[in-house]
Amino acid sequence: MALTRRDLGIGVGVVVLAIVATGILAFQAGGEGAAPAATRPSAGASPSASGPPTTAQIYQAVAPSVVTIETTLPDGGATGTGVVANATGTILTAYHVVKGGTAIKVRFADGTESAARVAGSNAELDIATLTPATLPDVLVPAVLGNSGRIAVGNDVVAIGNQLGLTSSTTTGVISGLDRAAANPDGTKLTGLIQFDAAVNPGSSGGPLVNAKGEVIGIVVALANPTSAGTFVGVGFAVPIGAALGSTGPGEPGPEQ
């Protein structure tokens, strides 16, 4: 199966891992849903009276930290997702969302828009950090977890702007650990978290969240044996520990 420059796929055997950037697959940015209102930071999702946090509670805790990223490219544009990683406003995202961009704009959950610049990047991990020029009145950093304490079967939630549908939320489980994939240029992504919460073009750079509402990974790719570039049950995320270590966005996350 031939991969064009705009496919920017990564292959594992006969499986094509389509990079999840909206501009790459020509999906339009934006959605009809209203952006979630920003709230003050909390220590992850609060458990309900009858047990652990529900998906709705996890979403309410994390959504104020999720941002939309729009990148202007010489031949078009790309749209992806990011997450506020610390109290200074550093945003973690996937490197391919902003790679080669001539301009980057971020939109926070409260609707605040700002230009942003790439502060750090690691192409081998497909991770970048952004520094926005303007911050919202109420900045809500995500609670970062410890991706060294995860296991196959753990529940996860993915939040992102898949297919231009802003702040979409899906659930699933971790279905594999320490996965590897090869880029067409020979570079490799290694140590990836495999999960089955649905992600699609536009999800790239969004948070993968555990059952406590802590970010444990940054979504970077999906697997698809066809050229469609849509989700068939296998997504991949860079563990948050590797993402933090690769670009140095600041505050480490708590243990899970």
Side-chain angles (χ1 to χ4, degrees), residues 37-41 64 87 108-114 134-141:
T39 58
R40 294 195 177 277
F108 292 88
D110 69 348
T112 300
E113 294 186 352
S114 173
T134 303
L135 297 176
D137 291 337
V138 179
L139 182 69
V140 187

Side-chain angles (χ1 to χ4, degrees), residues 27-43:
F27 286 93
Q28 295 299 313
E32 298 298 328
T39 58
R40 294 195 177 277
S42 61

Side-chain angles (χ1 to χ4, degrees), residues 41 48 94 107 138 148 194 202 217:
S48 63
R107 184 182 305 110
V138 179
Q194 178 187 333

